[in-house]
Short mmCIF file of all heavy atoms in Angstrom, two decimals:
data_model
loop_
_atom_site.label_atom_id
_atom_site.label_comp_id
_atom_site.label_asym_id
_atom_site.label_seq_id
_atom_site.Cartn_x
_atom_site.Cartn_y
_atom_site.Cartn_z
N GLY A 556 0.79 -1.22 0.00
CA GLY A 556 0.00 0.00 0.00
C GLY A 556 0.82 1.28 0.00
O GLY A 556 0.26 2.37 0.09
N ALA A 557 2.15 1.16 -0.11
CA ALA A 557 3.02 2.35 -0.06
C ALA A 557 2.95 3.17 -1.34
O ALA A 557 3.31 4.35 -1.34
CB ALA A 557 4.46 1.93 0.20
N GLY A 558 2.53 2.56 -2.46
CA GLY A 558 2.44 3.29 -3.72
C GLY A 558 3.39 2.81 -4.81
O GLY A 558 3.51 3.46 -5.85
N LYS A 559 4.04 1.68 -4.59
CA LYS A 559 5.01 1.18 -5.57
C LYS A 559 4.35 0.85 -6.91
O LYS A 559 4.80 1.32 -7.96
CB LYS A 559 5.72 -0.07 -5.03
CG LYS A 559 6.49 0.16 -3.75
CD LYS A 559 7.13 -1.09 -3.20
CE LYS A 559 6.20 -2.23 -2.91
NZ LYS A 559 5.28 -2.04 -1.79
N SER A 560 3.29 0.07 -6.87
CA SER A 560 2.59 -0.31 -8.11
C SER A 560 1.96 0.90 -8.79
O SER A 560 1.99 1.02 -10.01
CB SER A 560 1.51 -1.36 -7.83
OG SER A 560 2.10 -2.56 -7.36
N THR A 561 1.44 1.82 -7.99
CA THR A 561 0.85 3.04 -8.54
C THR A 561 1.92 3.87 -9.25
O THR A 561 1.69 4.35 -10.36
CB THR A 561 0.18 3.87 -7.42
OG1 THR A 561 -0.84 3.07 -6.82
CG2 THR A 561 -0.40 5.15 -7.95
N LEU A 562 3.08 4.00 -8.63
CA LEU A 562 4.16 4.76 -9.26
C LEU A 562 4.58 4.10 -10.58
O LEU A 562 4.76 4.80 -11.59
CB LEU A 562 5.37 4.87 -8.33
CG LEU A 562 6.58 5.58 -8.91
CD1 LEU A 562 6.24 7.00 -9.37
CD2 LEU A 562 7.72 5.60 -7.90
N LEU A 563 4.70 2.79 -10.60
CA LEU A 563 5.07 2.11 -11.85
C LEU A 563 4.01 2.32 -12.93
O LEU A 563 4.34 2.54 -14.10
CB LEU A 563 5.32 0.62 -11.61
CG LEU A 563 6.57 0.29 -10.81
CD1 LEU A 563 6.63 -1.21 -10.50
CD2 LEU A 563 7.83 0.73 -11.53
N ALA A 564 2.74 2.27 -12.55
CA ALA A 564 1.66 2.50 -13.52
C ALA A 564 1.72 3.93 -14.07
O ALA A 564 1.48 4.16 -15.26
CB ALA A 564 0.30 2.22 -12.88
N ILE A 565 2.07 4.90 -13.22
CA ILE A 565 2.22 6.29 -13.66
C ILE A 565 3.39 6.40 -14.62
O ILE A 565 3.29 7.02 -15.68
CB ILE A 565 2.37 7.24 -12.46
CG1 ILE A 565 1.04 7.33 -11.69
CG2 ILE A 565 2.83 8.62 -12.91
CD1 ILE A 565 1.15 8.01 -10.33
N LEU A 566 4.52 5.79 -14.26
CA LEU A 566 5.71 5.83 -15.13
C LEU A 566 5.44 5.17 -16.48
O LEU A 566 5.97 5.59 -17.50
CB LEU A 566 6.90 5.17 -14.45
CG LEU A 566 7.45 5.87 -13.21
CD1 LEU A 566 8.54 5.04 -12.56
CD2 LEU A 566 7.95 7.27 -13.55
N ALA A 567 4.59 4.14 -16.48
CA ALA A 567 4.25 3.43 -17.72
C ALA A 567 3.25 4.23 -18.57
O ALA A 567 3.04 3.90 -19.73
CB ALA A 567 3.66 2.05 -17.40
N GLY A 568 2.65 5.24 -17.99
CA GLY A 568 1.66 6.03 -18.72
C GLY A 568 0.27 5.43 -18.66
O GLY A 568 -0.64 5.88 -19.36
N ALA A 569 0.07 4.43 -17.80
CA ALA A 569 -1.23 3.79 -17.68
C ALA A 569 -2.14 4.48 -16.67
O ALA A 569 -3.33 4.20 -16.63
CB ALA A 569 -1.04 2.32 -17.28
N LEU A 570 -1.57 5.37 -15.87
CA LEU A 570 -2.32 6.06 -14.83
C LEU A 570 -1.80 7.49 -14.76
O LEU A 570 -0.59 7.72 -14.82
CB LEU A 570 -2.08 5.33 -13.50
CG LEU A 570 -2.87 5.74 -12.27
CD1 LEU A 570 -4.37 5.51 -12.48
CD2 LEU A 570 -2.39 4.92 -11.07
N ALA A 571 -2.71 8.42 -14.63
CA ALA A 571 -2.31 9.83 -14.50
C ALA A 571 -2.00 10.13 -13.03
O ALA A 571 -2.72 9.66 -12.14
CB ALA A 571 -3.43 10.75 -14.98
N PRO A 572 -0.96 10.90 -12.78
CA PRO A 572 -0.67 11.25 -11.38
C PRO A 572 -1.74 12.18 -10.82
O PRO A 572 -2.28 13.01 -11.54
CB PRO A 572 0.69 11.95 -11.46
CG PRO A 572 0.84 12.39 -12.87
CD PRO A 572 0.01 11.48 -13.72
N SER A 573 -2.03 12.03 -9.52
CA SER A 573 -3.00 12.93 -8.89
C SER A 573 -2.36 14.28 -8.58
O SER A 573 -3.05 15.28 -8.44
CB SER A 573 -3.56 12.30 -7.61
OG SER A 573 -2.51 11.96 -6.72
N SER A 574 -1.03 14.29 -8.49
CA SER A 574 -0.29 15.54 -8.36
C SER A 574 1.13 15.29 -8.84
O SER A 574 1.56 14.15 -9.00
CB SER A 574 -0.29 16.05 -6.91
OG SER A 574 0.40 15.14 -6.08
N GLY A 575 1.86 16.35 -9.10
CA GLY A 575 3.22 16.21 -9.60
C GLY A 575 3.23 15.88 -11.08
O GLY A 575 2.20 15.93 -11.76
N ARG A 576 4.42 15.55 -11.59
CA ARG A 576 4.52 15.23 -13.00
C ARG A 576 5.72 14.30 -13.23
O ARG A 576 6.63 14.23 -12.43
CB ARG A 576 4.66 16.47 -13.85
CG ARG A 576 5.96 17.23 -13.63
CD ARG A 576 6.01 18.50 -14.50
NE ARG A 576 7.29 19.14 -14.42
CZ ARG A 576 7.72 19.91 -13.44
NH1 ARG A 576 6.93 20.12 -12.40
NH2 ARG A 576 8.90 20.46 -13.48
N VAL A 577 5.68 13.63 -14.35
CA VAL A 577 6.77 12.76 -14.79
C VAL A 577 7.41 13.43 -15.98
O VAL A 577 6.73 13.82 -16.93
CB VAL A 577 6.25 11.35 -15.19
CG1 VAL A 577 7.38 10.51 -15.76
CG2 VAL A 577 5.61 10.67 -14.00
N THR A 578 8.72 13.60 -15.92
CA THR A 578 9.45 14.23 -17.01
C THR A 578 10.36 13.21 -17.65
O THR A 578 11.13 12.54 -16.95
CB THR A 578 10.30 15.41 -16.48
OG1 THR A 578 9.43 16.30 -15.78
CG2 THR A 578 10.99 16.14 -17.60
N ALA A 579 10.27 13.09 -18.97
CA ALA A 579 11.10 12.13 -19.70
C ALA A 579 12.17 12.88 -20.47
O ALA A 579 11.95 13.99 -20.96
CB ALA A 579 10.25 11.32 -20.67
N ALA A 580 13.33 12.25 -20.58
CA ALA A 580 14.42 12.83 -21.37
C ALA A 580 14.06 12.76 -22.84
O ALA A 580 13.25 11.94 -23.27
CB ALA A 580 15.70 12.05 -21.11
N GLU A 581 14.66 13.62 -23.61
CA GLU A 581 14.47 13.60 -25.07
C GLU A 581 15.56 12.74 -25.68
O GLU A 581 16.67 12.72 -25.19
CB GLU A 581 14.56 15.03 -25.62
CG GLU A 581 13.46 15.94 -25.12
CD GLU A 581 12.07 15.53 -25.58
OE1 GLU A 581 11.94 14.97 -26.69
OE2 GLU A 581 11.13 15.75 -24.83
N PRO A 582 15.35 12.02 -26.74
CA PRO A 582 14.07 11.83 -27.42
C PRO A 582 13.13 10.96 -26.58
O PRO A 582 13.57 10.38 -25.60
CB PRO A 582 14.48 11.10 -28.71
CG PRO A 582 15.70 10.33 -28.34
CD PRO A 582 16.41 11.19 -27.32
N PRO A 583 11.87 10.86 -27.00
CA PRO A 583 10.92 10.06 -26.23
C PRO A 583 11.45 8.64 -26.03
O PRO A 583 12.03 8.05 -26.93
CB PRO A 583 9.66 10.05 -27.12
CG PRO A 583 9.78 11.26 -27.96
CD PRO A 583 11.26 11.48 -28.16
N ARG A 584 11.25 8.13 -24.85
CA ARG A 584 11.74 6.80 -24.49
C ARG A 584 10.68 5.74 -24.72
O ARG A 584 9.49 5.98 -24.56
CB ARG A 584 12.15 6.78 -23.02
CG ARG A 584 13.26 7.74 -22.69
CD ARG A 584 14.52 7.28 -23.34
NE ARG A 584 15.62 8.17 -22.98
CZ ARG A 584 16.70 8.28 -23.70
NH1 ARG A 584 16.84 7.59 -24.79
NH2 ARG A 584 17.66 9.08 -23.33
N ARG A 585 11.15 4.55 -25.07
CA ARG A 585 10.27 3.38 -25.18
C ARG A 585 10.22 2.71 -23.81
O ARG A 585 11.25 2.48 -23.19
CB ARG A 585 10.80 2.41 -26.24
CG ARG A 585 10.78 3.00 -27.65
CD ARG A 585 11.38 2.02 -28.65
NE ARG A 585 12.69 1.55 -28.25
CZ ARG A 585 13.85 2.06 -28.68
NH1 ARG A 585 13.86 3.03 -29.55
NH2 ARG A 585 15.00 1.58 -28.26
N ILE A 586 9.02 2.42 -23.37
CA ILE A 586 8.82 1.85 -22.03
C ILE A 586 8.21 0.47 -22.15
O ILE A 586 7.22 0.28 -22.86
CB ILE A 586 7.93 2.76 -21.17
CG1 ILE A 586 8.61 4.12 -20.98
CG2 ILE A 586 7.63 2.11 -19.82
CD1 ILE A 586 7.74 5.15 -20.30
N GLY A 587 8.78 -0.49 -21.44
CA GLY A 587 8.21 -1.83 -21.30
C GLY A 587 7.76 -1.99 -19.86
O GLY A 587 8.51 -1.68 -18.93
N TRP A 588 6.54 -2.44 -19.66
CA TRP A 588 5.97 -2.54 -18.32
C TRP A 588 5.48 -3.95 -18.06
O TRP A 588 4.72 -4.50 -18.86
CB TRP A 588 4.83 -1.54 -18.21
CG TRP A 588 4.09 -1.50 -16.91
CD1 TRP A 588 4.60 -1.66 -15.65
CD2 TRP A 588 2.69 -1.26 -16.74
NE1 TRP A 588 3.61 -1.52 -14.71
CE2 TRP A 588 2.43 -1.27 -15.35
CE3 TRP A 588 1.64 -1.03 -17.62
CZ2 TRP A 588 1.16 -1.07 -14.83
CZ3 TRP A 588 0.39 -0.81 -17.10
CH2 TRP A 588 0.15 -0.83 -15.72
#
């Protein structure tokens, strides 16, 4: 319940953060989840 799975889902782009933001380096990165 600490938020590990939620954070991974946010990083994967499957869930929008309720606050804050995720910044990716350029060029756009390919993500495997």
Side-chain angles (χ1 to χ4, degrees):
K559 300 177 302 291
S560 296
T561 300
L562 177 58
L563 290 174
I565 290 168
L566 294 174
L570 187 62
S573 56
S574 65
R576 67 181 187 281
V577 175
T578 305
E581 296 295 328
R584 299 291 183 202
R585 295 177 307 263
I586 298 173
W588 179 37

